[in-house]
Structures are given as C-alpha cells and as structure tokens.
Amino acid sequence: MDVYGRDGSGIGVLGCMYHAYIHTLPAEQREPIMSMTKKICESILVDEVKDNSYIDFCTFLCRMGMHEEALKYLTIEKEKENDLSSRHTYGLQELETVDERLQKEITYSSEKRIAMVSSIYSRYLMAQCYIKLEKPKEEIQQLLNEMAQLVNEINDDPVKKALHLNMVGYIYQEQQMYNEALQAFQQVLEYSPDNAAAEESQSMCQALLLS
C-alpha cells in the first residue's frame, strides 16, 4: 500500500482526515478510516520518512488514541539529530487536529497560530504516549529533561521559548506533579509576562495543590 508515498512525504494530510472524522462523518463511516489508518501505519517505511513529515501524522494518531503506533514513528524522530530550525505550524484551521493544550496556545496567541519546534514537539507527543500507556515515570522524566535542554537552546525569541516551556509544564501537570509544573509556568511568565496560557495553567495548579 503506497497511499502517501514511501517516504511519508504526504502523511500530514491525515490531520484533515481527523477533522472530518470528528466533525462530519456519520458513525458508520468512521471505522473504515480507522482501518485505513492502521494499514498506512503498516505500510510506511519509518526509517525512510524525510523532513519530519510524519510529525503531523503522529499528532493524528495520538488524537485517534493510537499511541503505540505513534510511538513507532516518534522513536525514530528522537534518534535523529536535533534541529531547532525545523518547525510545524498550527492555526485555527488545525484547531481540532491538535490536543487541548495546543488548542489553548493557538487561541491565546495574538496571531492565532503557533510554530512548534519539531524536536521538542515530538518529545511532547512521546511523553503524552508514555503517560497514556503507563510507561515508567523515569522514562517520562528523561523526555522532560531532554525537552528542557532543547528549550534552553532557544535564544532568539523569548515568546517561542515560553511556548515550549509551557509544553514542559503541561507534561508535569498531566502527571499531577503540580509543584514542578508551577516552576515551569513561572519560567514562562519570566520570558513572556502576559502569557495567558501559563497564567491559566498556573492558577489551575495552585488550586489543585490547595484542594
């Protein structure tokens, strides 16, 4: 099966399929999409995927609850050289193809669009998969350490740095590690004092610690 090219160059189109999946298709038409997606997963040569094209595909897989399948591709990305210049952009048109944290980032962004550094975003997705699959916390922490190290290398744009620090905070928050999450969100506000997403998440963590 060679649906989107053997190098995976067009698999990001599946984000649009997800949009159709949750918004327009009747229930009887959803199972064929799931079936086709699984066949695509089996057909793509993951070691030949080029230019991080599959990151959008992994976003799609995670939103479909196919975390084991997503990990197969994300593991390949993790082993590649980290490149802070490679990015994936999401805006209002892609709002329903990303998770609720990125939806919040897009909504609060002045441009209603965010650019995720691929090497950081792939680890964010990977950490989400680890949490859903109940992987050891030590493995999740390793990903968080790698994310933080990559974020520290962003020196050209404080807003971009803040965006990716929020990703670190979200992973801590999802693990109910609220003190660590608060530290991350406080760092965000140091770089981006008007960051509404960080302020909201900080308030939420503080409330949960007091409950």
Side-chain angles (χ1 to χ4, degrees):
M1 186 175 181
D2 189 6
V3 180
Y4 291 110
R6 298 296 286 178
D7 66 352
S9 58
I11 54 181
V13 175
L14 283 178
C16 295
M17 187 183 292
Y18 175 76
H19 190 278
Y21 174 79
I22 61 171
H23 283 291
T24 63
L25 293 181
E28 62 271 14
Q29 293 183 24
R30 295 176 184 175
E31 182 55 36
I33 284 185
M34 292 290 288
S35 178
M36 186 174 76
T37 302
K38 290 177 181 177
K39 289 180 180 178
I40 291 171
C41 287
E42 294 167 359
S43 71
I44 295 172
L45 299 178
V46 296
D47 58 340
E48 294 184 8
V49 175
K50 300 175 181 177
D51 300 325
N52 298 322
S53 299
Y54 59 90
I55 296 292
D56 290 334
F57 185 46
C58 291
T59 299
F60 168 74
L61 292 177
C62 289
R63 292 287 279 167
M64 296 278 279
M66 299 172 67
H67 299 101
E68 288 281 8
E69 291 84 351
L71 270 180
K72 180 170 61 175
Y73 304 100
L74 292 167
T75 301
I76 298 296
E77 163 66 10
K78 187 173 179 292
E79 294 172 355
K80 293 182 178 181
E81 181 179 357
N82 296 320
D83 179 8
L84 295 178
S85 66
S86 178
R87 303 176 188 177
H88 283 73
T89 302
Y90 303 100
L92 292 177
Q93 287 186 327
E94 294 83 23
L95 199 62
E96 298 297 339
T97 71
V98 297
D99 70 19
E100 63 274 12
R101 273 68 181 267
L102 267 72
Q103 289 176 10
K104 179 164 65 174
E105 294 289 345
I106 293 167
T107 302
Y108 285 145
S109 168
S110 60
E111 298 179 354
K112 306 302 180 186
R113 180 167 294 274
I114 58 174
M116 300 298 301
V117 173
S118 301
S119 56
I120 300 174
Y121 183 45
S122 64
R123 283 167 171 79
Y124 169 80
L125 290 175
M126 199 169 187
Q128 294 279 13
C129 291
Y130 278 12
I131 292 169
K132 296 296 184 183
L133 296 171
E134 299 183 345
K135 297 283 187 181
K137 287 187 176 294
E138 294 78 10
E139 295 184 21
I140 302 172
Q141 187 59 50
Q142 177 60 34
L143 287 172
L144 282 164
N145 293 343
E146 293 175 9
M147 288 172 66
Q149 183 176 349
L150 289 166
V151 171
N152 284 337
E153 295 176 16
I154 299 175
N155 297 312
D156 59 334
D157 185 345
V159 174
K160 180 170 71 173
K161 192 160 191 163
L163 166 65
H164 292 86
L165 272 171
N166 266 341
M167 299 299 112
V168 174
Y170 293 147
I171 296 298
Y172 279 124
Q173 187 177 7
E174 189 160 347
Q175 295 181 91
Q176 300 181 6
M177 298 172 67
Y178 300 123
N179 285 315
E180 291 83 353
L182 280 171
Q183 291 178 16
F185 296 133
Q186 182 57 44
Q187 276 189 286
V188 170
L189 293 171
E190 291 172 7
Y191 288 105
S192 179
D194 298 325
N195 193 295
E199 289 178 344
E200 180 181 298
S201 298
Q202 190 179 56
S203 297
M204 188 181 301
C205 289
Q206 289 169 339
L208 288 166
L209 282 172
L210 293 173
S211 62

